Amino acid sequence: QKIIAITGTNGKSTTVKLIGEIIKNNGLDCFIGGNLGPPLMDFVNHNIESNFHVIELSSYQLEAAPSFQSYISVLLNISEDHLDRYSSIEEYAGIKEKIIYSKDNFYSIISLDDIFCKEIYKKNINKNIIPISTSEPINKGIYLFDNIIYDNIFEKKEINIESLSDSLKGQFNCQNILASYTTSKILNLDTKFFLSTVKNFSGLPHRFEHIFENEKMLIINNSKATNFDSAIKTIKNFDNVFLIVGGRIKNNNFSIFKKVKKNISRCFIIGESTDLIFNQISDLFLSFKSFTLEKAI
């Protein structure tokens, strides 16, 4: 069986589901699990037969399985997260780097959209790695601008994504789309099934999930955004946002929300860190101490 493993601070689960559906839509068997869905051991315990395993790996799992190897390894992005566990973001990035291999018959896909992934790519540039980007052209890689994939590795041409599911719209989903396309080309899958999958893809719960929409408002459940980078990238897509934020914090510097000050109209703060968050962001936009989700709603 061929294992396709995905890690990164944000977007792992969506990428796992998207790659899994592309493989299945090509008529192939695929086990989807790991940190998302059923545990990887279920494959053995339940005698599941499958040609491919698409699995999500967290930094915790990469710590615990140093000898783990996958046919295709995907590193999406690295931003501050889990700093309650790691002493620095550099240590966290070092754990994420463990997914990269040097053997000739293995492939790695790495995004160049953040400084930490870019440094990891530079360190491993002579290995069998395909760079991808949503922010800059790559002569010997694959990049995505304005729903057009520029493939300088496999197809040597432009692939126009003519129709895209609502669940994949937004700049923050571009890495997921690009990593999925690159994986499909390594596996020599039909591009038409990639295009039909991104058109009909149904997103995961709590990830940019559209709950309700009419002419006056759009309600989105994005509660899977458990770090600043993920939350801010989503908020940037909208204006006049009524934001519900809070819970148990992993990073106590909420002043970073000044990046989206113009996007947020009002903020409702919940959870055990309500007072701390309020003290940091109440000067940025109109904020309320709600404490509970029910009161915030």
Side-chain angles (χ1 to χ4, degrees):
Q1 298 90 8
K2 290 182 176 178
I3 295 176
I4 299 141
I6 294 93
T7 197
T9 305
N10 300 311
K12 298 185 295 296
S13 299
T14 298
T15 303
V16 166
K17 187 173 189 285
L18 185 53
I19 291 173
E21 290 190 6
I22 292 168
I23 292 172
K24 289 180 178 179
N25 288 340
N26 275 267
L28 300 168
D29 293 325
C30 181
F31 174 87
I32 302 173
N35 202 42
L36 167 74
L40 189 56
M41 285 302 294
D42 277 7
F43 177 81
V44 177
N45 296 337
H46 297 173
N47 296 316
I48 299 171
E49 293 186 7
S50 180
N51 303 114
F52 298 94
H53 297 52
V54 185
I55 62 171
E56 175 182 328
L57 291 179
S58 69
S59 56
Y60 297 8
Q61 290 162 319
L62 287 166
E63 278 184 67
S67 61
F68 177 83
Q69 291 187 342
S70 48
Y71 177 64
I72 301 174
S73 301
V74 181
L75 177 54
L76 291 170
N77 49 65
I78 296 174
S79 61
E80 288 194 7
D81 200 6
H82 299 303
L83 296 187
D84 52 340
R85 180 181 180 91
Y86 302 110
S87 61
S88 65
I89 189 169
E90 287 78 16
E91 181 188 2
Y92 173 61
I95 297 297
K96 291 294 191 187
E97 186 178 357
K98 291 180 182 293
I99 201 170
I100 304 297
Y101 303 116
S102 60
K103 294 184 179 178
D104 291 338
N105 58 335
F106 289 83
Y107 294 88
S108 294
I109 301 167
I110 184 167
S111 170
L112 306 186
D113 291 334
D114 64 77
I115 58 173
F116 299 102
C117 285
K118 192 172 283 188
E119 286 301 313
I120 291 172
Y121 173 69
K122 288 177 181 177
K123 285 167 59 179
N124 297 278
I125 198 165
N126 294 323
K127 299 178 182 179
N128 201 13
I129 297 180
I130 299 171
I132 61 174
S133 178
T134 65
S135 60
E136 61 183 275
I138 311 176
N139 291 330
K140 295 182 180 180
I142 303 173
Y143 59 99
L144 172 62
F145 293 146
D146 295 328
N147 283 1
I148 298 176
I149 295 173
Y150 298 84
D151 183 350
N152 294 325
I153 299 288
F154 300 98
E155 297 279 357
K156 307 285 186 176
K157 65 178 184 181
E158 300 173 10
I159 294 92
N160 188 6
I161 303 173
E162 295 180 355
S163 185
L164 190 62
S165 160
D166 285 342
S167 298
L168 291 173
K169 290 180 179 176
Q171 180 64 26
F172 52 91
N173 271 313
C174 289
Q175 282 183 346
N176 308 330
I177 296 166
L178 199 50
S180 301
Y181 168 80
T182 307
T183 300
S184 73
K185 299 319 294 180
I186 292 172
L187 298 176
N188 199 28
L189 303 181
D190 196 324
T191 300
K192 72 179 182 182
F193 290 115
F194 162 77
L195 293 172
S196 64
T197 304
V198 297
K199 176 182 178 180
N200 300 306
F201 183 74
S202 178
L204 290 156
H206 318 304
R207 296 160 177 85
F208 200 60
E209 182 181 8
H210 288 213
I211 301 297
F212 176 81
E213 184 174 6
N214 64 14
E215 293 180 356
K216 295 183 177 180
M217 73 176 77
L218 168 63
I219 301 176
I220 294 174
N221 176 356
N222 199 45
S223 54
K224 186 59 174 66
T226 57
N227 57 68
F228 291 148
D229 188 63
S230 179
I232 287 170
K233 282 180 177 177
T234 307
I235 293 167
K236 281 182 176 179
N237 289 272
F238 303 98
D239 295 314
N240 194 30
V241 173
F242 281 41
L243 177 68
I244 299 175
V245 66
R248 174 165 293 177
I249 62 172
K250 293 183 283 186
N251 189 314
N252 61 9
N253 185 16
F254 277 76
S255 61
I256 196 170
F257 273 87
K258 64 186 176 184
K259 291 183 177 181
V260 287
K261 179 180 178 180
K262 64 181 178 60
N263 303 82
I264 297 174
S265 174
R266 301 180 187 185
C267 181
F268 305 85
I269 307 167
I270 64 173
E272 63 185 45
S273 303
T274 294
D275 289 325
L276 184 152
I277 298 170
F278 180 86
N279 290 338
Q280 292 194 23
I281 66 174
S282 58
D283 289 340
L284 299 176
F285 29 73
L286 183 59
S287 301
F288 301 89
K289 294 183 182 180
S290 299
F291 292 101
T292 67
L293 182 60
E294 290 76 14
K295 187 175 179 183
I297 291 171

